Amino acid sequence: MFRRLSPPQITVDIVVAALFGLIVSGIELPMTDGMPPVIVIMGMTVALALRRISPGLALVVAWAAVAVQLTSGMEPVPSNIAIIAVLYATGCYGETWLRWAGLVSAIGGGVLAATYLSFFYSPGGLDLRNLGSVPGIVLGSLIGSVAAIFVFTLSWTVGLLVRTSQAAKAESIRRQQAQQEQRLAQQSVVVEQERNRIARDMHDVVAHSLAVVIAQADGARYAQKNNPEAMDTTLATIADTARGALGDVRLLLAELRHRQGEGPQPLLTDLDALFEQMRSAGLDIHVTKTGMEQQLPAGHQISIYRILQEALTNALRHGNRFAPVDVGVTWQESGVAVRVDNAVASVPFSSDAFGHGVPGMRERAALVGGWLTAEQSDNGRFVVTAYVPVPNTAQMGVVR
């Protein structure tokens, strides 16, 4: 029955109603005598104060004040304007039953007000001995009813339209929030899937390195007795292999889950095969390689391969297949930079068109200490740029 309002809203309603009561009291009370005018003013003022916190109670109070006004034979007074605000509140803030009650009140109140005024202002009132006055009263009631119903239902309709507009706005906000949450959830799933995929990749690297360490350690046990000079070479191999494995293990964050991979993982030596595969799928790929290649751990090589693979897949799915795709691989002293530049398809696509692949590529680059950007340029091309640093010698080692 009572709506939740903030303290400022309640304060505003009380102040507005108090000012309204003071103004209409100064106008009405000097011209009338007795308690009915005071009751009507108080009732309309209270109804105005309650219109937002309890539209139903405000409607009841307004009807009670009208009943006092009608039974006491009072003429229309300025305080009756509060009825319009109460009807607006029933349409804007009321529940379903109250909205219907407000509409009935607007129609019934309009008819009642017009009929009352017709009798009130008719010369001599309704005189049954002078039936000639009856048609005039009836005609005045009909015309007045149309006018009063129009005013009352207009205020109720405006309240209903405001309610509908607010509901539509709130629904739009909820829909946008739901879409945003859905996009975040999808990106989280993509990132998690990519981490699982990285874990499978790294499983092969670490498993291979540990297998080499174990084999060399077993060989060192026999070499200690038969060939002591081979101990240095064997221990160096173990140290290099373990150091390389340690660098790869550091790529695995605590969240990564270890799973058995399926088959060997791709390295930089497999890039040419990847380019040929994408060309056979319909892409016109132009590859540019600059700089002197450096030795990278297997984990870094896998990350570069997967980034190029995903970028080219996006170009195939979302780009213009009839325009060339420029792929650049630049070797620097501190790392390797890759760039995939493709034309955007003529059919417009949303900013989320690459939303499933970009988070995974960023995760790939971040896990090896690099970075990745993916954005559409003003000239209608989509550019993916990534940088993967080369670990220092102490971190890298040799994976045999």
mmCIF file of all heavy atoms in Angstrom, residues 1 6 20 41 50-51 86 110 133 152 155 159 181 191 220 243 261 263 303 322 324 381 394:
data_model
loop_
_atom_site.group_PDB
_atom_site.id
_atom_site.type_symbol
_atom_site.label_atom_id
_atom_site.label_comp_id
_atom_site.label_asym_id
_atom_site.label_seq_id
_atom_site.Cartn_x
_atom_site.Cartn_y
_atom_site.Cartn_z
ATOM 1 N N MET A 1 0.829 -1.204 0.000
ATOM 2 C CA MET A 1 0.000 0.000 0.000
ATOM 3 C C MET A 1 0.866 1.257 0.000
ATOM 4 O O MET A 1 0.494 2.285 -0.550
ATOM 5 C CB MET A 1 -0.933 0.001 1.212
ATOM 6 C CG MET A 1 -1.959 1.119 1.192
ATOM 7 S SD MET A 1 -3.103 0.964 2.561
ATOM 8 C CE MET A 1 -4.203 2.330 2.191
ATOM 9 N N SER A 6 12.602 7.931 -1.099
ATOM 10 C CA SER A 6 13.781 8.429 -0.401
ATOM 11 C C SER A 6 13.375 9.601 0.503
ATOM 12 O O SER A 6 12.364 10.273 0.247
ATOM 13 C CB SER A 6 14.843 8.874 -1.400
ATOM 14 O OG SER A 6 14.371 9.950 -2.183
ATOM 15 N N PHE A 20 0.792 24.311 -0.833
ATOM 16 C CA PHE A 20 -0.515 24.265 -1.490
ATOM 17 C C PHE A 20 -1.628 24.568 -0.493
ATOM 18 O O PHE A 20 -2.554 25.345 -0.780
ATOM 19 C CB PHE A 20 -0.720 22.886 -2.135
ATOM 20 C CG PHE A 20 -2.092 22.677 -2.706
ATOM 21 C CD1 PHE A 20 -2.415 23.174 -3.957
ATOM 22 C CD2 PHE A 20 -3.066 21.976 -1.995
ATOM 23 C CE1 PHE A 20 -3.679 22.974 -4.501
ATOM 24 C CE2 PHE A 20 -4.324 21.769 -2.528
ATOM 25 C CZ PHE A 20 -4.642 22.271 -3.785
ATOM 26 N N ILE A 41 -10.192 21.561 2.479
ATOM 27 C CA ILE A 41 -8.806 21.992 2.261
ATOM 28 C C ILE A 41 -7.831 20.998 2.875
ATOM 29 O O ILE A 41 -6.826 20.616 2.251
ATOM 30 C CB ILE A 41 -8.596 23.401 2.853
ATOM 31 C CG1 ILE A 41 -9.400 24.436 2.055
ATOM 32 C CG2 ILE A 41 -7.115 23.768 2.832
ATOM 33 C CD1 ILE A 41 -9.364 25.828 2.667
ATOM 34 N N LEU A 50 0.148 12.595 0.003
ATOM 35 C CA LEU A 50 0.223 11.128 -0.054
ATOM 36 C C LEU A 50 0.261 10.575 -1.474
ATOM 37 O O LEU A 50 0.347 9.350 -1.646
ATOM 38 C CB LEU A 50 -0.978 10.518 0.686
ATOM 39 C CG LEU A 50 -1.079 10.767 2.196
ATOM 40 C CD1 LEU A 50 -2.404 10.229 2.718
ATOM 41 C CD2 LEU A 50 0.085 10.112 2.927
ATOM 42 N N ARG A 51 0.206 11.417 -2.475
ATOM 43 C CA ARG A 51 -0.041 10.930 -3.837
ATOM 44 C C ARG A 51 1.043 9.988 -4.341
ATOM 45 O O ARG A 51 0.763 9.069 -5.119
ATOM 46 C CB ARG A 51 -0.185 12.117 -4.791
ATOM 47 C CG ARG A 51 1.112 12.844 -5.076
ATOM 48 C CD ARG A 51 0.888 14.135 -5.848
ATOM 49 N NE ARG A 51 2.155 14.726 -6.279
ATOM 50 C CZ ARG A 51 2.958 15.411 -5.501
ATOM 51 N NH1 ARG A 51 2.641 15.578 -4.214
ATOM 52 N NH2 ARG A 51 4.080 15.918 -5.974
ATOM 53 N N VAL A 86 -3.732 13.746 -7.940
ATOM 54 C CA VAL A 86 -3.996 12.408 -7.390
ATOM 55 C C VAL A 86 -4.290 11.419 -8.510
ATOM 56 O O VAL A 86 -3.793 10.279 -8.502
ATOM 57 C CB VAL A 86 -5.163 12.473 -6.384
ATOM 58 C CG1 VAL A 86 -5.574 11.069 -5.955
ATOM 59 C CG2 VAL A 86 -4.767 13.305 -5.170
ATOM 60 N N GLY A 110 -15.832 12.898 -13.249
ATOM 61 C CA GLY A 110 -16.183 13.899 -14.251
ATOM 62 C C GLY A 110 -17.687 14.040 -14.409
ATOM 63 O O GLY A 110 -18.218 15.152 -14.471
ATOM 64 N N SER A 133 -36.857 23.742 -16.872
ATOM 65 C CA SER A 133 -35.436 23.876 -16.575
ATOM 66 C C SER A 133 -34.676 22.566 -16.678
ATOM 67 O O SER A 133 -33.451 22.552 -16.697
ATOM 68 C CB SER A 133 -35.250 24.464 -15.165
ATOM 69 O OG SER A 133 -35.796 23.557 -14.190
ATOM 70 N N PHE A 152 -9.880 15.014 -16.465
ATOM 71 C CA PHE A 152 -9.479 14.010 -15.465
ATOM 72 C C PHE A 152 -8.765 12.830 -16.118
ATOM 73 O O PHE A 152 -7.719 12.369 -15.620
ATOM 74 C CB PHE A 152 -10.710 13.521 -14.692
ATOM 75 C CG PHE A 152 -11.280 14.558 -13.764
ATOM 76 C CD1 PHE A 152 -12.591 14.457 -13.305
ATOM 77 C CD2 PHE A 152 -10.530 15.641 -13.354
ATOM 78 C CE1 PHE A 152 -13.114 15.408 -12.444
ATOM 79 C CE2 PHE A 152 -11.048 16.596 -12.498
ATOM 80 C CZ PHE A 152 -12.341 16.486 -12.045
ATOM 81 N N SER A 155 -5.138 13.694 -17.245
ATOM 82 C CA SER A 155 -4.128 13.624 -16.188
ATOM 83 C C SER A 155 -3.786 12.171 -15.869
ATOM 84 O O SER A 155 -2.612 11.828 -15.665
ATOM 85 C CB SER A 155 -4.636 14.339 -14.932
ATOM 86 O OG SER A 155 -5.802 13.721 -14.424
ATOM 87 N N GLY A 159 -0.061 10.254 -16.560
ATOM 88 C CA GLY A 159 0.620 9.438 -15.553
ATOM 89 C C GLY A 159 0.932 8.044 -16.054
ATOM 90 O O GLY A 159 2.029 7.506 -15.808
ATOM 91 N N GLU A 181 26.924 -8.320 -19.013
ATOM 92 C CA GLU A 181 27.301 -9.481 -18.207
ATOM 93 C C GLU A 181 27.514 -10.713 -19.079
ATOM 94 O O GLU A 181 28.415 -11.515 -18.824
ATOM 95 C CB GLU A 181 26.223 -9.753 -17.162
ATOM 96 C CG GLU A 181 26.123 -8.670 -16.086
ATOM 97 C CD GLU A 181 24.968 -8.910 -15.146
ATOM 98 O OE1 GLU A 181 24.210 -9.884 -15.371
ATOM 99 O OE2 GLU A 181 24.811 -8.135 -14.179
ATOM 100 N N VAL A 191 38.733 -17.089 -22.188
ATOM 101 C CA VAL A 191 40.031 -17.041 -21.520
ATOM 102 C C VAL A 191 40.324 -18.355 -20.811
ATOM 103 O O VAL A 191 41.440 -18.889 -20.872
ATOM 104 C CB VAL A 191 40.086 -15.866 -20.530
ATOM 105 C CG1 VAL A 191 41.329 -15.954 -19.651
ATOM 106 C CG2 VAL A 191 40.062 -14.542 -21.281
ATOM 107 N N ALA A 220 73.982 -40.715 -16.456
ATOM 108 C CA ALA A 220 75.094 -40.227 -15.636
ATOM 109 C C ALA A 220 75.495 -41.234 -14.574
ATOM 110 O O ALA A 220 76.661 -41.315 -14.177
ATOM 111 C CB ALA A 220 74.708 -38.893 -14.990
ATOM 112 N N ARG A 243 66.547 -25.966 -16.942
ATOM 113 C CA ARG A 243 66.365 -24.517 -16.965
ATOM 114 C C ARG A 243 65.311 -24.114 -18.001
ATOM 115 O O ARG A 243 64.470 -23.251 -17.759
ATOM 116 C CB ARG A 243 67.700 -23.842 -17.275
ATOM 117 C CG ARG A 243 67.671 -22.334 -17.079
ATOM 118 C CD ARG A 243 69.026 -21.724 -17.388
ATOM 119 N NE ARG A 243 70.062 -22.238 -16.497
ATOM 120 C CZ ARG A 243 71.086 -22.972 -16.887
ATOM 121 N NH1 ARG A 243 71.210 -23.278 -18.172
ATOM 122 N NH2 ARG A 243 71.986 -23.392 -16.032
ATOM 123 N N GLY A 261 48.024 -33.547 -23.637
ATOM 124 C CA GLY A 261 47.828 -33.018 -24.972
ATOM 125 C C GLY A 261 47.643 -34.138 -25.975
ATOM 126 O O GLY A 261 47.944 -35.292 -25.729
ATOM 127 N N GLY A 263 48.917 -35.158 -29.446
ATOM 128 C CA GLY A 263 49.855 -34.972 -30.534
ATOM 129 C C GLY A 263 50.841 -33.860 -30.252
ATOM 130 O O GLY A 263 50.736 -33.124 -29.286
ATOM 131 N N SER A 303 52.970 -19.860 -28.434
ATOM 132 C CA SER A 303 52.140 -18.659 -28.299
ATOM 133 C C SER A 303 52.117 -17.870 -29.601
ATOM 134 O O SER A 303 51.053 -17.432 -30.058
ATOM 135 C CB SER A 303 52.666 -17.775 -27.164
ATOM 136 O OG SER A 303 52.530 -18.436 -25.920
ATOM 137 N N PHE A 322 38.831 -11.334 -50.668
ATOM 138 C CA PHE A 322 39.360 -10.964 -51.975
ATOM 139 C C PHE A 322 40.482 -9.930 -51.865
ATOM 140 O O PHE A 322 41.069 -9.562 -52.881
ATOM 141 C CB PHE A 322 38.228 -10.407 -52.854
ATOM 142 C CG PHE A 322 37.110 -11.381 -53.055
ATOM 143 C CD1 PHE A 322 35.946 -11.277 -52.308
ATOM 144 C CD2 PHE A 322 37.220 -12.424 -53.967
ATOM 145 C CE1 PHE A 322 34.902 -12.166 -52.481
ATOM 146 C CE2 PHE A 322 36.176 -13.318 -54.146
ATOM 147 C CZ PHE A 322 35.023 -13.194 -53.402
ATOM 148 N N PRO A 324 44.222 -8.808 -50.083
ATOM 149 C CA PRO A 324 45.382 -9.493 -49.501
ATOM 150 C C PRO A 324 45.467 -9.283 -47.992
ATOM 151 O O PRO A 324 45.034 -8.257 -47.456
ATOM 152 C CB PRO A 324 46.569 -8.842 -50.219
ATOM 153 C CG PRO A 324 46.063 -7.519 -50.684
ATOM 154 C CD PRO A 324 44.609 -7.718 -50.992
ATOM 155 N N ARG A 381 40.448 -1.481 -42.236
ATOM 156 C CA ARG A 381 41.275 -2.676 -42.065
ATOM 157 C C ARG A 381 41.330 -3.029 -40.588
ATOM 158 O O ARG A 381 41.221 -2.151 -39.718
ATOM 159 C CB ARG A 381 42.689 -2.462 -42.625
ATOM 160 C CG ARG A 381 42.704 -2.157 -44.114
ATOM 161 C CD ARG A 381 44.108 -2.123 -44.663
ATOM 162 N NE ARG A 381 44.733 -3.444 -44.677
ATOM 163 C CZ ARG A 381 44.566 -4.337 -45.631
ATOM 164 N NH1 ARG A 381 43.780 -4.082 -46.664
ATOM 165 N NH2 ARG A 381 45.194 -5.499 -45.571
ATOM 166 N N ALA A 394 69.492 -16.999 -18.767
ATOM 167 C CA ALA A 394 69.305 -17.774 -17.525
ATOM 168 C C ALA A 394 67.928 -18.383 -17.473
ATOM 169 O O ALA A 394 67.731 -19.435 -16.858
ATOM 170 C CB ALA A 394 69.523 -16.859 -16.322
#
